[in-house]
Amino acid sequence: MGKLIRLELYNFKSYKGHHVLLLGDSYFTSIIGPNGSGKSNSMDAISFVLGIKSSHLRSAHLRDLVYRGRVLRTSTINGDGSATKNDLNGDAGSDDDTPRNGTQERNDPKSAWVMAVYEDDAGDEQLWKRTITNQGVSEYRINDRVVTAQQYNEALETENILIKARNFLVFQGDVEAIASQSPRDLTRLIEQISGSLEYKAEYERLKEAQDEALDNQNYNLHRRRGINSEIKQYQEQKQEADNYAKKAHERDQAIVTHILWKLYHFQRVIEESGAEIQKHQEELKEHRRGIEKFENSLEEAKKDQSKASREVAKVEKNIKMKEKEIETQENGLLPVAEKIDITNKSLQKCQARIAEISKERDSHQNNVKQSTKDLKVVEKAQMQWENEWKKLAEKEGRDLTEADIQQYNRLKEEVNRRTSADQIKVDNLARQERADEETVNSLKSKVDSAEWQIERLSGELNETGERKNAINSQIEQTSKDISGKKKIFNEHTSERLRLAQIRTEKDEQLQEVLTKLLEAEDGRKQNEKDVRLKATITDMKRIFPGVKGRVSELCKPIEKRFGVAVSTILGRNFDAVIVENEKTAIDCIQYLRDQRRGQATFIPLDTIQSTSINSNLKGMHRGCRMAIDSINYDSSLERAVSYVCGNAIICDDLAIAKHICWEKRNDVKAVTLDGSIIHKGGNMTGGQGGKGDARRWEDTEVENLRKLKDKLIADLSALPEPRRGASEEQVLQGELTGLEQKLAYAKEELKAHVRNEASKKKELEYVKKELVSAKPTYNQKQRELENLENNLNEFRDAVGEIEDEIFAEFCQRFDYNNIREYEAQQGSLQQEGAQKKMEFSTQKSRLESRISYEQQQLQETKNRIQVLENRAQQDQALIAELEAEQQATQSDLDTLGAELDQLSEELEQQKAKHAKKSEKAAEQRREVQKRSKNVDSTLKAVAGLEAERQLNAASRYTLLRRCKLEDINLPLEEESTPLDQLPIDDILQADPDAMDVDEDPDATNFQPSNVQDYGIEIDFDDLDEDLRESDNSKLDDELQEKIKALNNELDHMAPNMRAMERLEVVQDRLKTTDKDFEDARRRAKRARDDFTEVKEQRFELFSKAFSHISEQIGPIYRDLTRSERLPMGGQAYLDMEDGDEPYLDGIKYHAMPPLKRFRDMEHLSGGEKTMAALALLFAVHSYQPSPFFVLDEVDAALDNANVAKIATYIRDHAGPGMQFIVISLKTGLFQGSEALVGIYRDQGANSSKALTLDLRKYQ
């Protein structure tokens, strides 16, 4: 392998300009230098030139790697980017205008490059150069030839310099990262070194493709197995379907024979009954002529009665409205009266309060007048005293001559000359004494005023406290009263609301009951014959215990919305009667014939043939359900309900019905909620056909509704009148409002007293503070004044002795003991006058302060009176307004009362008219009933024959309809209309059994209905003679039993009629699935082969590298940790977690330092981790080793002993094929190297520089 000879740098990081780091032919070179000199930048330069990204070189961008000079405070930037130091003293005559202090624009280099000179095994030099251009991008050159980055990397890889694995570099801090890395990180490191990482993306892609192909293969395999199972199943079902078809043909022939037998006898009865009815028609014509006149009179009387009833109802409605208006007006009067009472009380309180405060105002006015009067008395006394004082001063003074005055002045000057020093002190002290006396007097006045204010404020606070306590008591009592009233009011309100809620609920229930009764009565008016049928069934229940009742009475829809649909499904069986057995049905029919009470359809529970429910129809769609599941009925009636409902289903809308019948091709009758029908044959009929029958569900509940109506009316009558409760509530509301207003006024007054009390407390506190601060000052000033007087007296005594000596002859002549007596006589008058003036001034100040306070209180009292007077005026205006409203309401009440009396009179009149009209209508009805008795017997006979005729016609139509819907092939005459043209839902003629009872026997306009045969003529030639002669029930039972037996056999078979069709479809699917399976299997094999190939390549590369590193790491760690004392060193090994695919899991690295037990890597010390990490690095480097190995301060965490071991290891292994370049600050490491490259910082050039020293000369 080759070696790195030198490194050339130009403007790279801290290296300004061109620099050469000469490595020479040394195989162990150490790069040393102080911190900050640029050692690590040389490591960055090696990394940079060998293709490492700038993000790994402590820089965000390539431009950050270009040299940037720093500007010194005393330097100037030259044109080439260098800095020149300036002379601080400067030259006075210098013309240098170069800007200083670094404020000029810098002219740093824009590009940089690093070139590594490498000598290969043949001894040829290769120049690898990487440049940062002016545009900030990299340019690569090999031997001065520009190449691409890929070509550059390939050239390095030929020398076993792997950029991605960085197998030639160990940056500062990498050792600690390697020592603390996880097992998966170690796996990734080995993958990078081995080159297996390049297969990772392809491995994952092919593995995903293989999994997807296997899933697809398994899916198609399961599909093929499922289809084979379906084919076997459909083959078995095809055989069952063939057997079923034979049995079904036999059953169909039995059904045709039974239907022909019934149609034959229906036709016979229709013809015989028609002839009998024609005979009675002539008898009825004569009776109709005599009854028509009375019927017309009855109709007129009914119209008059109805008109009178409407008039009565109208008047009653007007009376109720007037009563409600009167109640509203009366309820409105109570709160008005209560408001007037409350406002009057408030007005009285305001007036009483005004009178109370007026007394305070008068008291303050009297105090102001008295204080003003006292002030005038003091001023008058002051003027009188001043006049007297002037006279006294003139009287006390003695007259001196001019010569005496001159002598006095001359002597005084002599005294001043001799006592000038003491006199000056006396004057100064006298001035100070006067000033101090004024200060003491001012302080005394301030103290006296504060004491007087404290006394006054204390009294006012006591008075305010008493008022506040009284108001608090009033508020407490008022609050208790309000709580009591509120409790009573809430009780009344709760009771009223409870009663109102009960009344509302009862009213709503009554309204609902009345509505249902109206609907029921409406149905009764539309079909009176239903009443007669109910009476007949009631009689039969009494006579024959086996009679259960009508279908419409015994079953109900589970939800109201199903009513129309269920009524439509029941159809002609809606009024059918359910009985226990066939004998009971025969007895009932005989009873109807004997009593001539019409006809009815009977359903015997013991012999009725019910259709078995098709369970496949259940849950077919969320919007459909079986009809039998939508009805509530007793379990004992299940056979009858199953018979009338069959397999019919109820759908939410027509779309669901179409989906089930047409799209799903189900042979079933579907009815929508609005009554639309899709028949078994596929034809469709419009909705609302069963709406009338749906209303009749409520007929059985009419009696219960009437009882409930009576109970609700009784409950409403028992409830107390709401008007009385409302009046009591309004009274309580008024009292509560008055108490709340009283409480609000009291709280406002309390707030005013609280504010006044707080203000006075603040004022009292302030005055007390003033007194506390003024009193000590006053006492101190008084003591200072006494001391000053003593000093003044001493100096005055000294001056007095000299005055006595000089003024001795002068005083003797004027008969004064001394000159001071003369001067005192004159000065005492002045002093007495000043004292008197001070007293007068103090009295005037006190009176003026009192007058100001009383005036302020007087103004506040007037303001309070003004507020109360305004409130009283508002109350008076409110009272006037309320009284006017009360009078207007009372006037309206009088008017409404008069109108109510008029309406009551009118109601009496209308009731009388209504009674007359009702009596007239009753008389006409009796006349009609009297004459209609003559035709009862004839009508009963005709009704019985007509009912029997319609019953047989309906039964005939039902059988024909059944044949059309069920596609039963009946034999017809040649001229007969085809069965396909038979209408499905002819309500009047095609389905007469929906109400098979007699018409009202009271009717006099009887019109027999025509029997429609729809042009269908049955060919009875195939019917045996014995069947034509007999129509008894035993023969019917025999025919039905045969059909039932065949149906039972068919029901037990239950074949899949579409098995053949499904079998062909499934066989086609099998062919497609077989093809898909073969394609999936081939794709899975191809994906598995591709994946296995990449997997083997990746495993081979990884295993090769792992085996080498695992073999080398033990000896390397032992060499690194070996010493004279411990020649065996430590142990280290690698442990693989997954032997099959090791690159998918982690690889654990275990190291045991000498004389220590096994511990995890994180529990080793810092030096032990570093030694273990270096052993791993050297082992990794030994696999596909690069020609040189650069280490940056890997010994930072090692002690001297371990550093020496590292140095020994590097020195032993350095040589051809292994060049070590080490950056270190440890002496123990670099002193054993073959050459040193010293890096230092040239501060003058502002650049890092390098020196090379060959140590082999000195070893």
Side-chain angles (χ1 to χ4, degrees):
M1 289 187 180
K3 60 180 297 187
L4 196 62
I5 297 176
R6 67 178 182 275
L7 193 68
E8 298 185 15
L9 299 85
Y10 178 75
N11 290 335
F12 184 82
K13 281 202 162 185
S14 62
Y15 293 89
K16 174 189 172 185
H18 184 266
H19 296 271
V20 177
L21 273 67
L22 185 60
L23 304 176
D25 57 354
S26 170
Y27 290 100
F28 180 13
T29 304
S30 295
I31 301 176
I32 62 174
N35 289 330
S37 61
K39 298 189 305 299
S40 295
N41 289 342
S42 62
M43 174 76 167
D44 293 341
I46 297 173
S47 304
F48 172 73
V49 74
L50 295 178
I52 302 300
K53 293 182 179 179
S54 61
S55 58
H56 298 293
L57 304 179
R58 302 176 296 168
S59 300
H61 305 285
L62 283 174
R63 293 183 182 273
D64 297 337
L65 301 177
V66 181
Y67 169 81
R68 293 181 181 178
R70 59 186 177 88
V71 179
L72 300 177
R73 185 173 295 178
T74 59
S75 299
T76 300
I77 301 300
N78 299 325
D80 59 354
S82 62
T84 303
K85 185 175 181 182
N86 294 330
D87 188 0
L88 293 177
N89 296 329
D91 187 357
S94 176
D95 294 331
D96 186 6
D97 295 331
T98 303
R100 288 175 172 80
N101 299 329
T103 59
Q104 75 286 355
E105 182 181 359
R106 295 177 54 171
N107 191 16
D108 286 341
K110 302 297 183 183
S111 64
W113 55 263
V114 178
M115 183 174 66
V117 179
Y118 176 77
E119 182 180 308
D120 57 18
D121 293 337
D124 298 330
E125 288 187 357
Q126 296 185 21
L127 305 180
W128 297 331
K129 184 176 181 182
R130 184 180 178 186
T131 304
I132 302 174
T133 64
N134 294 334
Q135 290 76 27
V137 297
S138 293
E139 180 185 82
Y140 299 92
R141 292 175 179 268
I142 299 178
N143 296 329
D144 291 332
R145 181 173 56 87
V146 178
V147 296
T148 63
Q150 183 177 358
Q151 294 172 342
Y152 194 81
N153 291 339
E154 291 175 353
L156 294 176
E157 288 177 0
T158 57
E159 297 297 332
N160 218 17
I161 300 173
L162 305 178
I163 296 175
K164 292 181 180 179
R166 293 196 299 175
N167 62 337
F168 55 90
L169 294 173
V170 180
F171 284 101
Q172 185 176 351
D174 281 358
V175 174
E176 296 178 3
I178 291 171
S180 60
Q181 66 183 350
S182 65
R184 285 193 176 273
D185 293 335
L186 182 55
T187 302
R188 183 174 178 83
L189 175 62
I190 295 177
E191 275 207 283
Q192 289 177 342
I193 296 299
S194 65
S196 64
L197 187 62
E198 297 179 359
Y199 292 93
K200 181 180 180 181
E202 185 69 11
Y203 172 89
E204 293 176 351
R205 183 184 66 79
L206 292 175
K207 181 176 177 59
E208 183 178 357
Q210 174 187 274
D211 294 341
E212 183 179 355
L214 288 175
D215 291 342
N216 190 24
Q217 179 185 353
N218 293 332
Y219 169 73
N220 285 285
L221 178 61
H222 291 313
R223 281 183 60 200
R224 189 173 68 171
R225 289 175 179 173
I227 291 172
N228 286 327
S229 176
E230 284 186 57
I231 289 173
K232 183 178 179 181
Q233 180 181 0
Y234 285 133
Q235 287 173 347
E236 295 174 355
Q237 291 177 358
K238 180 177 178 298
Q239 183 64 33
E240 293 177 358
D242 294 338
N243 297 333
Y244 182 85
K246 295 178 182 179
K247 189 64 69 175
H249 179 71
E250 184 179 352
R251 189 268 319 270
D252 292 342
Q253 291 299 322
I255 291 173
V256 168
T257 301
H258 180 242
I259 291 174
L260 286 174
W261 174 75
K262 295 182 74 173
L263 288 174
Y264 177 81
H265 291 287
F266 286 154
Q267 186 67 33
R268 178 180 59 80
V269 173
I270 289 172
E271 292 174 355
E272 293 174 355
S273 299
E276 290 294 327
I277 290 172
Q278 196 65 31
K279 294 178 182 180
H280 293 291
Q281 284 293 92
E282 298 298 329
E283 298 177 7
L284 291 175
K285 290 181 181 178
E286 294 298 327
H287 296 295
R288 289 197 189 97
R289 296 189 185 95
I291 296 174
E292 286 180 358
K293 178 180 178 180
F294 293 98
E295 286 182 344
N296 294 334
S297 299
L298 178 60
E299 289 298 324
E300 293 294 331
K302 286 182 178 180
K303 290 180 180 178
D304 295 340
Q305 181 186 5
S306 177
K307 183 177 180 182
S309 298
R310 288 194 297 271
E311 291 296 331
V312 170
K314 182 178 179 182
V315 175
E316 287 179 346
K317 182 179 180 182
N318 292 334
I319 288 174
K320 288 183 180 179
M321 292 176 63
K322 291 298 178 182
E323 288 177 348
K324 188 174 182 180
E325 291 181 10
I326 290 171
E327 182 181 353
T328 302
Q329 294 291 343
E330 289 176 350
N331 292 338
L333 277 177
L334 290 174
V336 172
E338 184 62 28
K339 288 181 181 178
I340 292 174
D341 184 37
I342 293 170
T343 310
N344 280 326
K345 291 180 181 178
S346 175
L347 179 60
Q348 292 174 3
K349 289 180 181 179
C350 288
Q351 291 175 349
R353 187 62 181 159
I354 288 172
E356 181 182 350
I357 297 175
S358 296
K359 292 180 181 179
E360 295 183 10
R361 180 195 62 191
D362 297 340
S363 175
H364 288 304
Q365 284 180 345
N366 294 332
N367 290 337
V368 171
K369 290 180 180 179
Q370 184 63 37
S371 298
T372 304
K373 184 177 179 181
D374 293 343
L375 180 61
K376 291 180 179 179
V377 170
V378 171
E379 290 177 347
K380 184 177 180 182
Q382 183 180 5
M383 292 176 62
Q384 184 178 357
W385 172 81
E386 287 177 352
N387 294 331
E388 291 178 357
W389 183 79
K390 288 180 181 178
K391 293 178 180 180
L392 180 62
E394 293 176 356
K395 181 180 179 180
E396 291 294 332
R398 298 181 180 178
D399 296 334
L400 296 178
T401 63
E402 185 68 26
D404 293 335
I405 293 173
Q406 290 180 358
Q407 183 183 5
Y408 173 79
N409 292 332
R410 185 175 64 256
L411 293 175
K412 195 69 175 176
E413 290 177 359
E414 179 66 19
V415 171
N416 291 335
R417 184 178 59 79
R418 294 178 60 181
T419 61
S420 58
D422 292 337
Q423 191 65 42
I424 290 171
K425 293 182 179 179
V426 168
D427 292 339
N428 291 335
L429 291 175
R431 284 194 298 273
Q432 186 175 357
E433 182 184 24
R434 287 193 296 274
D436 289 348
E437 285 177 351
E438 292 178 359
T439 301
V440 169
N441 290 332
S442 175
L443 290 172
K444 185 174 184 301
S445 175
K446 186 175 181 181
V447 169
D448 293 341
S449 176
E451 290 176 349
W452 176 79
Q453 288 184 7
I454 289 171
E455 182 179 358
R456 175 179 61 80
L457 291 172
S458 298
E460 291 177 354
L461 280 174
N462 292 332
E463 182 181 355
T464 303
E466 292 175 358
R467 291 181 181 176
K468 189 174 71 171
N469 293 332
I471 293 173
N472 280 327
S473 301
Q474 181 182 356
I475 289 173
E476 184 177 357
Q477 184 60 37
T478 306
S479 299
K480 290 181 180 178
D481 295 342
I482 289 174
S483 300
K485 292 291 182 183
K486 280 185 177 180
K487 184 177 179 181
I488 298 173
F489 177 76
N490 292 334
E491 290 176 355
H492 278 76
T493 304
S494 300
E495 181 65 18
R496 179 178 60 80
L497 292 176
R498 187 182 68 81
L499 293 175
Q501 184 177 1
I502 294 173
R503 184 179 296 277
T504 302
E505 292 175 355
K506 298 289 185 184
D507 286 337
E508 290 177 354
Q509 292 177 5
L510 180 60
Q511 188 63 34
E512 184 179 356
V513 169
L514 291 174
T515 302
K516 291 181 178 180
L517 283 173
L518 286 174
E519 291 179 358
E521 291 297 329
D522 182 57
R524 287 166 56 83
K525 290 176 183 177
Q526 293 177 3
N527 195 359
E528 289 291 339
K529 64 179 181 180
D530 187 57
V531 178
R532 298 180 108 13
L533 179 59
K534 288 176 64 177
T536 301
I537 293 174
T538 302
D539 293 339
M540 287 192 297
K541 284 183 179 180
R542 179 173 48 82
I543 297 170
F544 306 108
V547 177
K548 301 293 186 182
R550 289 188 298 174
V551 172
S552 59
E553 296 173 347
L554 298 175
C555 62
K556 302 289 183 184
I558 60 175
E559 295 183 23
K560 190 173 182 180
R561 64 191 182 107
F562 297 147
V564 175
V566 172
S567 300
T568 303
I569 290 171
L570 295 181
R572 60 189 176 86
N573 293 313
F574 190 87
D575 287 316
V577 182
I578 301 176
V579 295
E580 285 187 354
N581 49 50
E582 184 179 5
K583 181 178 181 307
T584 304
I586 294 172
D587 293 342
C588 290
I589 292 172
Q590 186 63 40
Y591 170 79
L592 293 176
R593 287 176 179 173
D594 294 343
Q595 298 295 323
R596 292 188 176 275
R597 302 185 69 169
Q599 292 184 351
T601 301
F602 294 91
I603 302 176
L605 293 175
D606 61 339
T607 60
I608 194 70
Q609 298 295 324
S610 60
T611 305
S612 60
I613 303 301
N614 186 359
S615 58
N616 293 331
L617 297 174
K618 294 183 178 181
M620 182 172 291
H621 193 282
R622 189 172 61 181
C624 76
R625 73 282 305 157
M626 298 294 294
I628 195 171
D629 295 336
S630 304
I631 300 175
N632 285 326
Y633 57 89
D634 189 79
S635 58
S636 61
L637 307 176
E638 184 174 0
R639 286 174 58 85
V641 176
S642 177
Y643 166 74
V644 298
C645 293
N647 280 324
I649 62 173
I650 297 176
C651 302
D652 290 347
D653 51 42
L654 194 57
I656 297 174
K658 291 178 180 178
H659 173 74
I660 293 174
C661 293
W662 294 347
E663 295 181 14
K664 293 289 186 179
R665 297 185 180 181
N666 289 302
D667 190 13
V668 66
K669 179 180 180 180
V671 182
T672 64
L673 295 180
D674 61 357
S676 299
I677 309 171
I678 297 180
H679 302 276
K680 289 185 177 180
N683 53 327
M684 185 170 65
T685 305
Q688 302 297 332
K691 188 173 182 180
D693 290 337
R695 270 203 313 269
R696 290 170 54 203
W697 288 116
E698 301 176 358
D699 290 349
T700 59
E701 302 175 2
V702 171
E703 191 63 30
N704 293 333
L705 290 174
R706 285 180 179 147
K707 292 180 182 178
L708 181 59
K709 180 193 73 171
D710 296 338
K711 181 179 182 300
L712 291 173
I713 292 174
D715 292 343
L716 286 172
S717 301
L719 292 176
E721 190 68 26
R723 186 189 308 171
R724 180 166 56 84
S727 301
E728 294 177 358
E729 273 189 42
Q730 289 174 353
V731 172
L732 288 172
Q733 182 66 39
E735 294 177 356
L736 191 59
T737 303
L739 290 173
E740 288 177 348
Q741 289 182 354
K742 180 180 178 181
L743 180 63
Y745 293 153
K747 286 183 177 179
E748 288 181 2
E749 188 173 359
L750 178 62
K751 288 180 181 179
H753 283 300
V754 170
R755 289 194 297 269
N756 189 19
E757 184 181 29
S759 176
K760 291 186 182 301
K761 283 183 178 179
K762 288 182 180 179
E763 186 177 357
L764 178 61
E765 184 179 356
Y766 175 75
V767 172
K768 286 182 178 180
K769 288 182 179 179
E770 289 291 323
L771 179 62
V772 170
S773 62
K775 209 162 190 178
T777 307
Y778 167 71
N779 295 331
Q780 181 181 358
K781 289 294 183 182
Q782 196 169 19
R783 288 193 298 269
E784 291 178 356
L785 180 61
E786 291 175 358
N787 295 332
L788 183 63
E789 288 176 351
N790 294 332
N791 293 333
L792 180 62
N793 290 332
E794 291 178 0
F795 284 105
R796 281 178 175 172
D797 291 342
V799 172
E801 291 177 0
I802 297 174
E803 286 180 341
D804 292 342
E805 180 183 351
I806 295 174
F807 283 97
E809 188 270 333
F810 182 83
C811 291
Q812 186 177 3
R813 186 156 53 89
F814 288 99
D815 196 17
Y816 286 107
N817 292 327
N818 50 51
I819 193 61
R820 291 183 297 282
E821 183 178 346
Y822 168 75
E823 293 175 348
Q825 182 180 356
Q826 299 298 323
S828 61
L829 293 175
Q830 299 296 329
Q831 186 176 2
E832 182 180 353
Q835 183 67 28
K836 202 67 175 176
K837 287 180 181 179
M838 179 64 68
E839 292 177 359
F840 280 119
S841 176
T842 302
Q843 290 181 1
K844 286 170 65 178
S845 175
R846 184 176 299 173
L847 288 172
E848 287 173 353
S849 175
R850 182 174 297 175
I851 289 170
S852 175
Y853 170 74
E854 292 294 341
Q855 286 177 345
Q856 181 180 359
Q857 295 296 318
L858 177 61
Q859 186 61 39
E860 290 180 359
T861 307
K862 288 180 179 180
N863 292 338
R864 290 163 61 191
I865 291 173
Q866 184 63 39
V867 171
L868 290 172
E869 287 177 349
N870 293 337
R871 187 180 298 170
Q873 291 177 0
Q874 293 176 359
D875 291 342
Q876 290 174 353
L878 180 59
I879 290 171
E881 181 181 350
L882 292 173
E883 288 176 349
E885 182 180 353
Q886 189 178 29
Q887 292 176 0
T889 304
Q890 189 62 45
S891 177
D892 294 340
L893 279 173
D894 296 339
T895 303
L896 291 172
E899 293 177 355
L900 182 61
D901 294 338
Q902 292 178 0
L903 289 173
S904 299
E905 294 176 0
E906 185 180 354
L907 178 62
E908 294 298 328
Q909 296 174 2
Q910 294 295 336
K911 283 184 177 179
K913 291 180 181 180
H914 180 264
K916 293 179 181 180
K917 300 293 184 182
S918 298
E919 181 61 29
K920 184 177 179 180
E923 183 179 355
Q924 293 295 329
R925 188 177 293 105
R926 287 194 293 271
E927 289 293 331
V928 171
Q929 291 176 355
K930 180 179 179 182
R931 285 164 176 75
S932 63
K933 291 180 180 178
N934 299 326
V935 298
D936 283 347
S937 59
T938 305
L939 285 173
K940 288 182 178 179
V942 171
L945 292 171
E946 179 63 22
E948 187 175 7
R949 185 169 176 263
Q950 291 295 332
L951 177 61
N952 284 274
S955 299
R956 178 179 182 273
Y957 167 76
T958 302
L959 282 176
L960 294 175
R961 184 172 176 269
R962 175 190 168 191
C963 292
K964 177 181 178 180
L965 295 176
E966 298 180 6
D967 292 332
I968 298 175
N969 189 14
L970 290 177
L972 301 177
E973 298 289 348
E974 294 181 359
E975 62 275 10
S976 172
T977 303
L979 195 61
D980 294 340
Q981 297 182 9
L982 178 72
I984 296 299
D985 290 306
D986 194 329
I987 302 301
L988 295 177
Q989 299 173 2
D991 194 11
D993 283 345
M995 191 55 66
D996 249 346
V997 295
D998 289 340
E999 296 293 336
D1000 188 354
D1002 292 339
T1004 59
N1005 190 19
F1006 181 80
Q1007 293 293 336
S1009 58
N1010 296 324
V1011 175
Q1012 177 65 268
D1013 59 4
Y1014 304 101
I1016 298 175
E1017 298 180 7
I1018 308 299
D1019 185 3
F1020 296 105
D1021 293 341
D1022 295 337
L1023 188 65
D1024 296 339
E1025 288 297 330
D1026 54 348
L1027 295 177
R1028 294 186 183 186
E1029 294 175 358
S1030 175
D1031 62 345
N1032 58 28
S1033 58
K1034 291 183 178 180
L1035 185 57
D1036 187 19
D1037 292 342
E1038 290 176 2
L1039 294 174
Q1040 289 189 5
E1041 188 63 32
K1042 182 179 179 181
I1043 296 171
K1044 182 179 179 181
L1046 292 172
N1047 280 329
N1048 288 336
E1049 292 182 15
L1050 291 172
D1051 290 342
H1052 285 91
M1053 294 176 72
N1056 183 2
M1057 303 306 294
R1058 297 183 178 179
M1060 188 61 192
E1061 179 183 348
R1062 299 284 177 84
L1063 180 61
E1064 294 176 357
V1065 174
V1066 172
Q1067 286 175 346
D1068 293 339
R1069 285 171 51 201
L1070 179 62
K1071 295 177 182 178
T1072 305
T1073 304
D1074 285 339
K1075 182 180 179 183
D1076 293 342
F1077 174 73
E1078 290 299 325
D1079 292 342
R1081 188 176 61 80
R1082 286 193 296 270
R1083 286 195 298 270
K1085 183 178 183 303
R1086 185 167 55 252
R1088 184 169 55 253
D1089 294 342
D1090 294 342
F1091 173 71
T1092 303
E1093 181 181 356
V1094 173
K1095 175 184 175 183
E1096 291 175 352
Q1097 292 176 355
R1098 187 179 184 187
F1099 178 78
E1100 182 181 357
L1101 291 173
F1102 188 88
S1103 299
K1104 182 178 179 182
F1106 177 79
S1107 299
H1108 176 84
I1109 296 171
S1110 181
E1111 292 172 359
Q1112 294 294 323
I1113 196 168
I1116 291 175
Y1117 185 71
R1118 190 163 48 252
D1119 291 343
L1120 286 174
T1121 55
R1122 179 186 297 145
S1123 63
E1124 294 180 358
R1125 190 170 61 87
L1126 300 169
M1128 297 301 296
Q1131 296 181 9
Y1133 61 92
L1134 297 176
D1135 185 14
M1136 188 184 299
E1137 294 181 356
D1138 186 356
D1140 294 334
E1141 292 185 89
Y1143 39 77
L1144 297 181
D1145 284 313
I1147 293 177
K1148 293 183 179 179
Y1149 176 34
H1150 302 285
M1152 288 183 290
L1155 300 180
K1156 290 191 177 181
R1157 60 183 177 83
F1158 171 79
R1159 285 186 294 179
D1160 290 335
M1161 186 67 69
E1162 59 266 19
H1163 295 151
L1164 299 178
S1165 65
E1168 290 170 345
K1169 287 182 180 179
T1170 302
M1171 296 298 285
L1174 287 173
L1176 178 61
L1177 285 173
F1178 291 146
V1180 170
H1181 183 264
S1182 66
Y1183 180 76
Q1184 294 184 354
S1186 62
F1188 47 84
F1189 201 18
V1190 184
L1191 306 174
D1192 186 2
E1193 296 189 24
V1194 296
D1195 55 353
L1198 299 178
D1199 55 12
N1200 292 332
N1202 285 324
V1203 170
K1205 293 176 182 178
I1206 294 295
T1208 301
Y1209 179 85
I1210 294 175
R1211 189 169 53 251
D1212 292 343
H1213 290 80
M1218 179 62 76
Q1219 179 185 10
F1220 285 93
I1221 302 173
V1222 181
I1223 299 174
S1224 177
L1225 291 174
K1226 297 292 182 71
T1227 306
L1229 181 59
F1230 64 75
Q1231 70 183 2
S1233 60
E1234 297 177 355
L1236 290 178
V1237 176
I1239 307 298
Y1240 68 95
R1241 185 75 176 180
D1242 187 347
Q1243 296 296 340
N1246 193 19
S1247 172
S1248 298
K1249 292 188 177 181
L1251 297 174
T1252 301
L1253 178 63
D1254 190 351
L1255 295 179
R1256 289 174 293 184
K1257 301 176 182 179
Y1258 309 101
Q1259 292 176 351

